[in-house]
Amino acid sequence: MAVIDLLIGALILLVVGAAVTALLAKRRAMCGYVAFLFVAVASVWVGVAAFHVLSTGSPIAGAPVLTIAPLNSSLVFTVDGLSAVFLLITSLIAVCTTLFSVRYMLVDERYSLVRYYPILLLFFASVISVVSVRNMLFFLVFWEFMTLASYVLVVFETDNADARRAGLQYFIATHIATGGILLATILLYTNAPVKSFEFEALLESTRALMATSPALIHLILALFVIGFATKAGILPFGFWLPNAHPVAPSPFSAVLSGCMVKIGVYGVLVVFTSLTPLSHFTTVWGVWIAVLGTVSIFVASLTALQQTDSKRLLAFSTIGQMGYIWLALGVGLALLRISPAVAVVALMAGLFHLVNHACFKSLLFLNAGAALYRTGTRDMDKAGGLMRIMPVTAVTAIIAALAISGIPGLNGFASKWLIFESGIVGGFEIPLLVFLVVVAIFISAVTLAYYMKFLGMVFVGKLHIGQEVERREVPVSMLVPQVLMAIPCVAFGVLPMLALKYLYVAANGILPAGYSPAFASLFGSSPLAVNLSLSGLRSGAWGPVAILVAFVGCLVLGYLISRMGAAQTREVPMWLCGEEHDFSEVRYPVHSFLLTFNRYFAKLYPPIPVPRLPRPTAILKLLDIDRWLYYPGLRWGERIIRVISATHAGFPQLYVLWMIVGAALAVIVLFSMGGGP
Amino acid sequence: MIAIAEISARDLLVPLVAAPLIGALLCVFLKRRASDYVAAIFATITLVLAAGAIGNLFSDLDATHRVPLGWLVNIAGESRPAPLVFELSIDALGALMLFVVTVIGFLVVIYSSEYLSPRNVEHPVANGKGRYYAWLLLFVGAMVGIALAGNFFQLFIFWEITTLCSWALISYYQDEASLRAGFKALIMTAIGGLFFVLALVLMYLNLDTDPFAFDALGRLAPGLRSLVFVFLLVAAWAKAAQFPFFTWLPDAMAAPTPISCYLHAAAMVKAGVYLIARVVSASYGLSYGVGLLTGIMALATIFIVVFLFLFQDDLKKILALSTISHLGYILIGCALGAWGSATAFQGGLLHIAAHGCGKGLLFLSVGMITYFTGTRRISELSGVGRRLPIVAVGFFVGAFTVTGVPPLAGFWSKFLILTGGLELGGFAAVIAILLLIESMIAFGFFLWVGQRVFFGSPSFDAPPAKAVAWPMTTAVIILAVLCLVVTLFALPVIQHIPLGM
Amino acid sequence: MTFAINLGLVLLIGPLLAGVVRKVVRARVHSRKGPPIVQPFYDLFKLLGKEDLQSVASQVVQYAPLVAFASVLVAALLTPMGMRAPLGQYGDMIVFAYFITIAAVAVVMTGLACSSPYSMMGAGREVMMHLVVEPVLIICLITAAIKAGSLLMWDMAAWNYVNGPAISMVAAAVALFLALQAQVGKLPFDIPEADQEIMGGPFIELSGPKLAMFQWAFFARQVVYASVLAVIFIPWGLTFAFPWNVGAHLLKVIVLIVLVGVIDVVNPRLRIDQAMSYFFGVIFVALVAMAFALIGA
């Protein structure tokens, strides 16, 4: 059996699973476990196939499954290094979130699960399909089906007006974006020398068009970039994201942030590596992508700082982190022709951050979901200090939050570090990039700030929750996924070379031959440390193992010093300058935290006004053809007929008269026509 | 006993036309349940025969099977051969139409057995079902006749029968509104029919051999050819409710919902676009101008309609307006076909099937809503999905089909039209892009309507447990599945439909 | 040995310098005699033996002081102090910047975990100050990195020693010096602690060894920040033989810290919004320095 059959088998399994779970929807717990079973097996198969590709470095392809003859397109599943990366994160997230869902979705019995598990499974199937086709037509089909499935899950809580509004906004925005992508694709297709939607054919088309009509190519690339930016939540096109992510059921929020928005990144990579030959267009659009990414970083992160809803905060954070990924990809694409070594590192940095973000952001949504499951509220003012009752959730949340804010030793730092390094070195060639990186670094401090806020308000601190809340940890089936997702956060943090080795395969696969320098010449040969050489010389270093050893050593030193005096401990009440207060009276509200700073950026993300169309009565009247054309016409007709009917008076004499007149007329006509011999 | 394999498509054509007509005749004398059963049986027979004929055709999709039946007497007694006027034939295009007509006809008949009942909240119906089925089966028969017509003359005969049927069925409830609407439909489509007659007369006068054959236009002088085409186009506009004749269709919503469904999804209006598709498929050398006329008028219709339905509160009227715009899509497919794009033409033809399934599904879903709630005002409905989940699925699948969300059928047809338009370039590309924009607007609006009607807190109580209404549910489910898979069956057939160049 | 030198410099010289500033600068300005120079050590040892009062049983409060302490020490090990840094080959400027940030994170987490309104307010202020002060350090270091073509701190120092001074480096040095005051938490920027208004802010609930560890970490941090400024932007003496190079470095650090002390004594505290507006200005100066570096000046 070929490896690709594992992937196809997994797809079949997911579709079958969707049918089975649809039939089981009434039995809520069982439905969840069955769904998990299907997803787990499918994910393992997909994971094995993807890992096979990454370890051998050669793409695998299957036989055509379906052929659309009028469009010369056949559905062939192909996995290359790039798609393997996406497949791996998809399978990890799929397993974790489905397991998390089992108990999470038991709670609210108002909604039938027939709208949850089957759709979720189909969603995973479509995500897997999107990244494993190399035909733009089928890419679009799976892409939009993915949107459709995710829409159904976003509006899962149909009684919630916010969910409905967000779902509407989401689907319409992304549908229009897809329309743009579709248009761009067809424009390429119509100009292709060989009429086909295969990536290779479209690549030739782009190559041909570049020489003849560069303006059209810019238009096409703009449509692609905007389309994928919309999906990826890149501002200003991803405005739907902060509304849609919080209202979806938490496990699906995790999927949205961890998995779906990433497919937008995949799309952009495909466009610039598989559909566009390397040219100055790549450089120009690379810079634009970097700028878009930076805008997102800046606006979204500063807006996240102002949120009081935990999941909304996480959603803004997703936009911000996607901005980092776009920045890295933009740097990579911009420099690809100028300085391939830096470009490869930047692209890998982007992919690395993408993988990392998939891990920690999904984890954070699961954490927030666990908190929501227990406390029933997303408002950070209403529930806090959960570490006391939910230690495992809290610890994983702290790991994830520290990782995403880039604390050294966790994976987020490793990828951000690479992004910064490649950006700064790339700035030697394109100075603008340095300024973008400066913004990114500044915002990484902001990221830290809002995650401090998130942790501080929700998990750390004094426990304050409603009376009705059960004071214990969430069930095991919700803990396992959290722990599972925390593992890569730590593992890739301590051993970044582990991930970089495989990401190099992925990046290498999408670049033109001869564009990627050898792995060791870029990252050094030590498996424990990243010794970056970007311009020939060694230009940066991050040896997590050595530094963490030193850190632990210093910790021990500190501990020894702090125990020197053998100080005793004693429990005391909180000191409020000698005044007696109830805690709830003096609690510091989320809103006040960082208030002064937020004032500077309060206007950064204005709410989008919804236009109210007035009823254009004049135009509607004009379009009502009946009223001004047909009915008056009929009335005239009626009048004329009434006049004519007056001739039928009922007198025989009158009828005889008509007959004579008629006969005379007939004779005249006949005589005037007859030409004679 | 004759082995089934030996039956050729030709043997099935006569029974195929006859079956619904016999059923119609029987139904006239039957009442209530009996008429339900008889109608269902004859609809099934028609469906099976159609399936046989289409299945037979699959062995050679390029073939045309003909059964000549009658000739017109040469009035003037001239020396030229008598023109063939009655001829049943089936080819790929006819098969496509036959498929849409019989499948949806069958589902509508099944659906009606429950819809027209005292349990219907909006319009309880106790008797008069025999009359209903008689007209409906006659309608099916007439549509089968159109699909199997071998020449323009016969097409015209059946065409006028459908006009008559739609008049009777629209006025079925016999209240003020429906009588007016039926009359309006009759008048407007009959005026269109007059232009058809004019076209037939012109063809007869100017061609000596086979004046009514589908390829007749190609044999006319170019100027005359355009004139005849325009006459046929006007006839099609009236039938397919295009600008400026579109006003009868929203009014026709006074009909019982299954009838609206049949009128919109498969019959009546599709006859109009089928005529144009026939012409484009069979004749070569249509001028650029007539393509432009078809395209621009269709485009105008589409945009007028999309504007109108933003301000519409009646669910069925929204669907009616949407139908008008989708017929515009098909006509644009034909227009682009006339300009030489086979891709767009195939897209237009596929849209006949795709829109048939999608819009049929939408109507049946809305019909179930009115059946249970008695209202079809968007502003009075909410939370329907909680009470009637199948209807919600039906509505959304239908809406996504007609607006073109992959992988549903509408996506493929729109995609083909779009591709064809952009391939041609120039003004065709502009049309294609405008279509894409319309598609987005319609999508947004349908999604909004769907959310408004199906989500939120329910506006009515749960239907009594006994009122399962399985015939309606079954019809909805079958159509929903068809919306997904119809492309797979239809596309291979459509590929074999020639484009007259 | 380099480990010992760096750790010794920050752990021992740090508190001592604080004592020097108190005795030589503050007491002189106040026209009083002042405590002995080693008074900070007395304070630290006293605190280490004092009772540890716990108002919140939080793991975070338990470990945050140690984390702060350790992270400052790691930052110190990453900083070249007159010679190559002991961990310099394992971490460049970005690693350094992030490690020095961890100390601030520990402070904030402590403040949040204590949940006292004072500590929360202090934590918020700490975050805000950090948000505006840290970019200055980063931008200045990037400026040096652009000039040196490497992100390793020793390379930057070496480049400046060989090729300096450059306009951009001087401008960056000025910006960094303007930020130093806040980085070491001195007036007019000791807003997060602000003993007279929010009672030490994040540290209000801390006592005994925990407070001692935080204080010691901050004494050490002064030296680290001063060292970065001294070694990269004022690189004279880099090639002296050991121990003169360390001596030269120490001298520069002492001068810087005394300067900071002088400013501390003669200024009143700013409000947080005033401080932020001020640092937006400093960030602009730093950006100008970076722009100069990019155009090669």
Side-chain angles (χ1 to χ4, degrees):
Chain A
M1 193 173 81
V3 184
I4 193 75
D5 292 337
L6 279 177
L7 184 88
I8 295 169
L11 289 175
I12 295 170
L13 205 60
L14 285 172
V15 174
V16 172
V20 173
T21 46
L23 294 176
L24 286 174
K26 283 265 159 51
R27 313 183 58 182
R28 299 179 78 89
M30 187 162 155
C31 182
Y33 283 114
V34 169
F36 169 66
L37 207 66
F38 275 101
V39 170
V41 177
S43 296
V44 169
W45 289 358
V46 170
V48 168
F51 193 74
H52 172 85
V53 171
L54 279 183
S55 49
T56 59
S58 53
I60 49 173
V65 181
L66 182 73
T67 303
I68 306 284
L71 297 168
N72 298 324
S73 293
S74 37
L75 176 56
V76 180
F77 286 103
T78 317
V79 182
D80 58 10
L82 184 64
S83 32
V85 171
F86 286 85
L87 288 178
L88 277 176
I89 58 175
T90 306
S91 21
L92 176 68
I93 290 173
V95 171
C96 290
T97 51
T98 317
L99 182 56
F100 189 87
S101 305
V102 175
R103 289 297 291 269
Y104 188 89
M105 300 308 291
L106 276 185
V107 185
D108 196 343
E109 300 211 334
R110 283 177 303 168
Y111 305 110
S112 162
L113 287 182
V114 81
R115 280 196 297 120
Y116 189 77
Y117 289 112
I119 307 294
L120 189 67
L121 265 58
L122 289 177
F123 174 83
F124 288 135
S126 59
V127 171
I128 292 170
S129 311
V130 162
V131 295
S132 20
V133 291
R134 291 189 68 75
N135 180 307
M136 208 55 197
L137 176 62
F138 288 102
F139 178 92
L140 278 168
V141 170
F142 290 127
W143 168 270
E144 199 57 3
F145 185 72
M146 177 178 84
T147 312
L148 177 62
S150 55
Y151 160 76
V152 175
L153 291 168
V154 166
V155 294
F156 181 75
E157 290 175 8
T158 48
D159 282 1
N160 179 352
D162 286 340
R164 298 202 298 268
R165 204 170 308 127
L168 190 68
Q169 192 186 43
Y170 161 57
F171 205 176
I172 293 178
T174 45
H175 193 71
I176 291 172
T178 308
I181 299 173
L182 190 101
L183 194 60
T185 306
I186 298 178
L187 281 175
L188 282 184
Y189 169 80
T190 53
N191 290 296
V194 185
K195 284 277 190 301
S196 163
F197 283 96
E198 302 293 331
F199 286 172
E200 289 74 23
L202 298 184
L203 177 70
E204 289 311 312
S205 165
T206 319
R207 201 190 300 279
L209 277 181
M210 272 177 183
T212 54
S213 44
L216 186 61
I217 285 290
H218 275 302
L219 175 72
I220 289 171
L221 290 179
L223 285 172
F224 274 133
V225 168
I226 291 173
F228 290 123
T230 309
K231 194 65 156 194
I234 291 300
L235 292 176
F237 309 108
F239 59 88
W240 58 270
L241 195 149
N243 301 331
H245 284 215
V247 295
S250 295
F252 191 66
S253 309
V255 178
L256 279 179
S257 266
C259 180
M260 193 189 74
V261 293
K262 307 294 189 299
I263 307 301
V265 175
Y266 176 80
V268 164
L269 274 177
V270 159
V271 166
F272 285 98
T273 57
S274 296
L275 301 186
T276 323
L278 201 51
S279 62
H280 72 275
F281 291 97
T282 323
T283 312
V284 170
W285 280 96
V287 172
W288 274 111
I289 289 172
V291 169
L292 278 178
T294 313
V295 168
S296 306
I297 295 174
F298 189 77
V299 175
S301 302
L302 287 168
T303 312
L305 211 50
Q306 304 168 14
Q307 302 305 313
T308 55
D309 174 330
S310 58
K311 282 176 77 179
R312 202 168 154 82
L313 181 146
L314 294 179
F316 273 109
S317 153
T318 295
I319 301 183
Q321 300 302 309
M322 290 306 287
Y324 277 96
I325 298 169
W326 275 56
L327 170 62
L329 297 184
V331 170
L333 293 173
L335 293 173
L336 206 49
R337 274 185 340 141
I338 305 166
S339 151
V342 185
V344 173
V345 173
L347 286 176
M348 284 172 63
L351 284 177
F352 194 18
H353 199 60
L354 181 142
V355 172
N356 294 339
H357 183 251
C359 298
F360 46 60
K361 184 50 67 60
S362 303
L363 177 52
L364 281 166
F365 268 112
L366 294 187
N367 297 139
L372 179 60
Y373 177 81
R374 258 304 158 244
T375 63
T377 180
R378 305 194 312 237
D379 192 332
M380 292 190 278
D381 265 335
K382 298 214 176 95
L386 299 176
M387 190 161 183
R388 202 60 53 74
I389 55 169
M390 304 162 70
V392 180
T393 303
V395 167
T396 51
I398 290 175
I399 291 177
L402 294 183
I404 198 172
S405 10
I407 296 298
L410 296 166
N411 60 354
F413 175 74
S415 49
K416 278 189 187 176
W417 177 77
L418 275 176
I419 295 176
F420 298 153
E421 305 267 325
S422 55
I424 292 170
V425 178
F428 301 165
E429 309 290 346
I430 305 175
L432 174 68
L433 299 180
V434 183
F435 288 94
L436 301 182
V437 167
V438 166
V439 174
I441 297 181
F442 164 60
I443 295 297
S444 87
V446 174
T447 310
L448 186 66
Y450 64 74
Y451 276 108
M452 291 297 107
K453 175 171 147 179
F454 171 72
L455 285 180
M457 297 297 168
V458 182
F459 291 106
V460 184
K462 210 171 160 68
L463 182 68
H464 68 104
I465 45 176
Q467 289 298 316
E468 72 292 347
V469 175
E470 238 183 299
R471 291 172 182 249
R472 60 190 179 87
E473 180 61 280
V474 290
V476 180
S477 74
M478 291 168 76
L479 288 182
V480 172
Q482 299 185 44
V483 175
L484 217 58
M485 305 219 70
I487 291 171
C489 294
V490 178
F492 291 156
V494 179
L495 296 168
M497 290 296 262
L498 196 72
L500 289 177
K501 205 174 80 183
Y502 293 112
L503 290 174
Y504 179 77
V505 176
N508 203 11
I510 56 175
L511 293 180
Y515 262 92
S516 43
F519 182 73
S521 75
L522 288 175
F523 296 101
S525 46
S526 160
L528 299 181
V530 189
N531 291 315
L532 208 56
S533 332
L534 291 178
S535 40
L537 301 164
R538 180 136 167 281
S539 46
W542 168 225
V545 178
I547 291 198
L548 287 178
V549 166
F551 184 70
V552 172
C554 293
L555 267 182
V556 171
L557 178 67
Y559 180 74
L560 292 178
I561 292 176
S562 74
R563 295 310 304 158
M564 239 166 26
Q568 302 295 306
T569 56
R570 182 158 63 94
E571 297 276 331
V572 291
M574 186 185 290
W575 189 62
L576 297 168
C577 300
E579 295 193 44
E580 297 278 328
H581 285 295
D582 187 40
F583 177 66
S584 58
E585 284 175 56
V586 294
R587 210 175 52 75
Y588 201 65
V590 176
H591 170 71
S592 308
F593 197 68
L594 311 180
L595 185 64
T596 323
F597 186 77
N598 283 342
R599 281 211 192 103
Y600 287 95
F601 301 105
K603 295 274 163 56
L604 206 55
Y605 193 84
I608 304 159
V610 180
R612 284 232 157 264
L613 288 178
R615 214 181 148 79
T617 18
I619 304 177
L620 286 178
K621 228 176 234 168
L622 182 70
L623 291 180
D624 193 352
I625 304 177
D626 277 347
R627 185 174 300 180
W628 57 264
L629 182 63
Y630 295 139
Y631 289 156
L634 276 182
R635 268 194 293 281
W636 276 106
E638 240 179 321
R639 245 173 251 170
I640 291 165
I641 289 166
R642 207 165 286 142
V643 170
I644 294 173
S645 70
T647 55
H648 289 266
F651 306 120
Q653 297 90 325
L654 210 54
Y655 290 120
V656 172
L657 177 64
W658 295 146
M659 283 165 77
I660 294 169
V661 171
L665 278 176
V667 167
I668 291 167
V669 168
L670 282 174
F671 269 100
S672 61
M673 279 175 72
Chain B
M1 189 182 157
I2 314 164
I4 301 218
E6 286 173 25
I7 300 177
S8 82
R10 303 179 44 172
D11 304 329
L12 294 171
L13 296 186
V14 176
L16 188 50
V17 182
L21 299 182
I22 296 169
L25 208 59
L26 282 175
C27 281
V28 174
F29 307 106
L30 293 172
K31 287 208 167 85
R32 297 189 196 168
R33 289 319 283 174
S35 64
D36 282 348
Y37 290 123
V38 169
I41 288 167
F42 277 91
T44 315
I45 292 173
T46 315
L47 183 65
V48 169
L49 288 172
I54 296 170
N56 242 311
L57 195 70
F58 258 93
S59 58
D60 181 11
L61 279 167
D62 290 322
T64 306
H65 300 278
R66 298 173 180 284
V67 184
L69 293 174
W71 285 261
L72 189 67
V73 180
N74 259 331
I75 312 159
E78 288 165 27
S79 55
R80 68 181 195 178
L84 188 65
V85 288
F86 274 116
E87 176 193 30
L88 295 182
S89 79
I90 183 165
D91 57 2
L93 179 53
L96 177 75
M97 193 64 189
L98 188 62
F99 164 79
V100 175
V101 164
T102 51
V103 169
I104 295 179
F106 169 74
L107 292 173
V108 163
V109 168
I110 301 290
Y111 183 93
S112 302
S113 68
E114 179 61 36
Y115 187 85
L116 293 180
S117 73
R119 292 182 291 282
N120 187 329
V121 180
E122 192 192 27
H123 274 293
V125 174
N127 39 39
K129 272 179 112 173
R131 172 167 63 93
Y132 173 85
Y133 280 124
W135 282 111
L136 181 54
L137 284 175
L138 181 61
F139 206 159
V140 175
M143 283 312 294
V144 170
I146 286 182
L148 296 183
N151 55 52
F152 283 124
F153 193 89
Q154 186 192 350
L155 205 156
F156 173 70
I157 303 290
F158 285 113
W159 171 285
E160 289 298 311
I161 296 177
T162 61
T163 304
L164 205 60
C165 293
S166 62
W167 163 74
L169 286 167
I170 291 170
S171 315
Y172 176 72
Y173 287 134
Q174 298 188 345
D175 50 18
E176 171 78 18
S178 61
L179 287 174
R180 272 182 169 280
F183 190 59
K184 189 171 172 184
L186 182 70
I187 298 285
M188 290 185 106
T189 45
I191 289 173
L194 282 181
F195 281 88
F196 203 149
V197 174
L198 275 178
L200 287 180
V201 167
L202 281 177
M203 283 191 259
Y204 182 70
L205 291 180
N206 290 288
L207 290 171
D208 284 343
T209 51
D210 270 350
F212 302 129
F214 286 137
D215 64 350
L217 259 68
R219 286 180 272 127
L220 291 170
L224 201 59
R225 187 190 303 150
S226 296
L227 186 65
V228 170
F229 183 84
V230 170
F231 282 164
L232 289 177
L233 190 61
V234 173
W237 282 343
K239 199 78 168 171
Q242 295 292 293
F243 183 80
F245 303 114
F246 66 92
T247 59
W248 68 266
L249 199 64
D251 285 9
M253 288 302 107
T257 308
I259 294 306
S260 310
C261 168
Y262 198 53
L263 279 178
H264 284 232
M268 198 64 179
V269 295
K270 289 285 162 64
V273 291
Y274 175 73
L275 173 68
I276 298 302
R278 242 325 156 200
V279 173
V280 172
S281 165
S283 4
Y284 53 87
L286 290 173
S287 68
Y288 183 84
V290 297
L292 193 66
L293 180 68
T294 318
I296 286 185
M297 287 301 278
L299 205 59
T301 310
I302 288 173
F303 275 89
I304 288 171
V305 159
V306 85
F307 185 80
L308 283 178
F309 76 40
L310 290 179
F311 301 96
Q312 196 48 262
D313 190 39
D314 183 327
L315 267 179
K316 271 180 81 176
K317 286 202 174 166
I318 286 174
L319 299 188
L321 291 169
S322 152
T323 301
I324 298 171
S325 76
H326 282 278
L327 294 165
Y329 272 88
I330 300 171
L331 285 179
I332 284 182
C334 295
L336 298 181
W339 282 347
S341 167
T343 321
F345 185 56
Q346 287 172 351
L349 295 174
L350 183 60
H351 207 60
I352 293 182
H355 173 253
C357 296
K359 192 51 64 65
L361 184 55
L362 280 170
F363 268 110
L364 296 189
S365 306
V366 170
M368 278 180 83
I369 296 176
T370 60
Y371 174 93
F372 283 114
T373 65
T375 182
R376 52 193 211 210
R377 303 219 143 268
I378 297 172
S379 48
E380 290 171 7
L381 289 164
S382 78
V384 177
R386 184 66 57 79
R387 299 277 184 255
L388 308 166
I390 293 291
V391 176
V393 172
F395 185 90
F396 277 107
V397 170
F400 291 151
T401 305
V402 295
T403 52
V405 175
L408 298 161
F411 167 76
W412 300 98
S413 51
K414 286 190 176 181
F415 189 87
L416 285 167
I417 297 176
L418 202 57
T419 309
L422 289 175
E423 263 175 331
L424 284 175
F427 187 64
V430 175
I431 292 181
I433 292 168
L434 287 173
L435 283 189
L436 187 65
I437 292 169
E438 193 274 346
S439 194
M440 300 290 155
I441 299 173
F443 169 81
F445 186 68
F446 266 109
L447 196 64
W448 179 80
V449 169
Q451 290 203 345
R452 179 79 181 71
V453 170
F454 290 97
F455 295 173
S457 53
S459 62
F460 62 101
D461 295 331
K466 287 185 90 178
V468 192
W470 67 265
M472 302 204 288
T473 315
T474 317
V476 165
I477 291 173
I478 292 176
L479 266 183
V481 173
L482 271 181
C483 283
L484 188 61
V485 299
V486 73
T487 318
L488 289 178
F489 303 126
L491 211 50
V493 177
I494 286 166
Q495 269 180 265
H496 290 273
I497 298 174
L499 173 62
M501 298 292 288
Chain C
M1 189 189 69
T2 47
F3 277 91
I5 289 171
N6 276 31
L7 289 181
L9 273 178
V10 296
L11 282 182
L12 301 178
I13 303 296
L16 209 59
L17 273 174
V20 168
V21 169
R22 277 187 211 172
K23 171 89 181 170
V24 177
V25 182
R26 184 175 295 176
R28 185 69 49 88
V29 172
H30 288 177
S31 306
R32 56 188 169 87
K33 226 176 135 199
I37 284 178
V38 288
Q39 183 65 34
F41 282 109
Y42 295 159
D43 294 347
L44 287 175
F45 290 132
K46 183 86 176 177
L47 277 175
L48 285 172
K50 278 229 169 221
E51 215 179 13
D52 185 1
L53 303 178
Q54 292 184 333
S55 68
V56 278
S58 168
Q59 302 291 310
V60 172
V61 181
Q62 204 68 34
Y63 298 118
L66 294 181
V67 170
F69 184 77
S71 64
V72 171
L73 291 193
V74 170
L77 292 172
L78 289 166
T79 316
M81 297 194 178
M83 51 208 264
R84 280 182 187 276
L87 289 178
Q89 53 178 324
Y90 295 111
D92 54 23
M93 57 160 262
I94 291 178
V95 179
F96 165 79
Y98 269 85
F99 260 98
I100 204 80
T101 303
I102 296 181
V105 174
V107 172
V108 175
M109 291 297 278
T110 310
L112 289 169
C114 287
S115 298
S116 152
Y118 298 108
S119 70
M120 298 279 268
M121 196 175 291
R125 291 179 177 189
E126 175 77 31
V127 171
M128 289 186 273
M129 282 306 286
H130 188 78
L131 283 178
V132 289
V133 175
E134 210 58 22
V136 181
L137 174 70
I138 299 274
I139 297 169
C140 292
L141 288 177
I142 290 180
T143 309
I146 291 169
K147 296 305 287 183
S150 164
L151 283 91
L152 297 168
M153 282 161 82
W154 178 255
D155 291 354
M156 301 177 191
W159 182 90
N160 203 15
Y161 182 77
V162 175
N163 303 307
I167 298 174
S168 55
M169 291 299 262
V170 173
V174 170
L176 196 53
F177 180 74
L178 292 177
L180 187 62
Q181 200 73 17
Q183 284 169 333
V184 300
K186 293 288 183 188
L187 277 171
F189 301 115
D190 69 335
I191 302 163
E193 289 90 43
D195 287 310
Q196 297 87 336
E197 44 172 308
I198 53 171
M199 268 72 58
F203 312 113
I204 186 168
E205 292 292 324
L206 297 187
S207 59
K210 287 181 190 142
L211 192 56
M213 295 317 287
F214 265 125
Q215 285 195 351
W216 209 332
F218 293 153
F219 286 140
R221 195 168 66 172
Q222 295 188 15
V223 179
V224 174
Y225 275 124
S227 293
V228 170
L229 179 55
V231 80
I232 296 181
F233 296 95
I234 317 171
W236 299 286
L238 266 190
T239 50
F240 293 166
F242 183 80
W244 304 113
N245 51 2
V246 178
H249 181 73
L250 189 58
L251 193 67
K252 286 185 278 181
V253 168
I254 291 173
V255 169
L256 280 172
I257 290 188
V258 167
L259 267 179
V260 165
V262 171
I263 297 171
D264 176 61
V265 171
V266 299
N267 271 295
R269 181 179 307 118
L270 290 176
R271 282 199 321 268
I272 182 80
D273 55 331
Q274 293 169 327
M276 284 198 282
S277 306
Y278 171 76
F279 278 105
F280 285 134
V282 178
I283 290 174
F284 181 73
V285 173
L287 281 174
V288 170
M290 194 178 81
F292 272 122
L294 282 171
I295 59 172

